[in-house]
Amino acid sequence: QVQLVESGGGLVQAGGSLRLSCAASGRTFSLYTMGWFRQVPGKEREFVAAISWSGGSTNYADSMKGRFTISRDNAKSMVYLQVNSLKPEDTAVYYCAAVRPVGGRTATRPYEYDYWGQGIQVTVSS
């Protein structure tokens, strides 16, 4: 069982940066692939990025490459999402998610993840 709590969201001006954090409970955090997703009202939840249990492998949605960076600190049971050059279209609720990896493929679809945080709002003003 893993419990996830996101923090670091809020209102940011376009062009700015922010770092989202996700605190995980449970002693087996280091065994989980961690992912970030986002969702706007009326749309499906969208994959942003994922990181392997060791942090040695990362995966980004094509549209997120270059401005988004996922990282983790297994000693602190934390995963982070750094977002630079924010755009108004980045406005969404951002979710942290966890899954035990199966096979060599990194999970990128919401249904593949077992545990979710409550989400945190990020609003980018123009």
Side-chain angles (χ1 to χ4, degrees):
Q1 188 80 13
V2 177
Q3 292 183 327
L4 305 171
V5 179
E6 301 95 340
S7 62
L11 177 63
V12 184
Q13 285 192 333
S17 300
L18 59 73
R19 187 175 80 159
L20 300 179
S21 299
C22 175
S25 65
R27 293 177 293 176
T28 59
F29 171 77
S30 61
L31 299 179
Y32 285 80
T33 293
M34 301 299 297
W36 284 98
F37 292 78
R38 69 184 187 183
Q39 190 170 22
V40 298
K43 292 190 176 181
E44 294 185 353
R45 195 162 293 189
E46 178 183 29
F47 172 70
V48 175
I51 188 166
S52 64
W53 64 272
S54 67
S57 176
T58 57
N59 191 331
Y60 296 90
D62 288 342
S63 60
M64 312 296 175
K65 292 178 181 177
R67 296 192 299 118
F68 292 74
T69 303
I70 189 171
S71 61
R72 68 188 296 163
D73 185 338
N74 285 344
K76 296 181 179 179
S77 296
M78 297 289 293
V79 62
Y80 308 99
L81 184 70
Q82 177 71 37
V83 189
N84 299 323
S85 302
L86 280 157
K87 304 176 182 180
E89 50 264 43
D90 294 321
T91 295
V93 176
Y94 285 73
Y95 296 89
C96 173
V99 64
R100 290 287 297 268
V102 177
R105 178 183 170 276
T106 300
T108 61
R109 300 178 180 89
Y111 67 82
E112 296 180 295
Y113 282 79
D114 296 321
Y115 303 102
W116 292 85
Q118 80 286 356
I120 192 161
Q121 179 70 45
V122 172
T123 302
V124 183
S125 63
S126 58

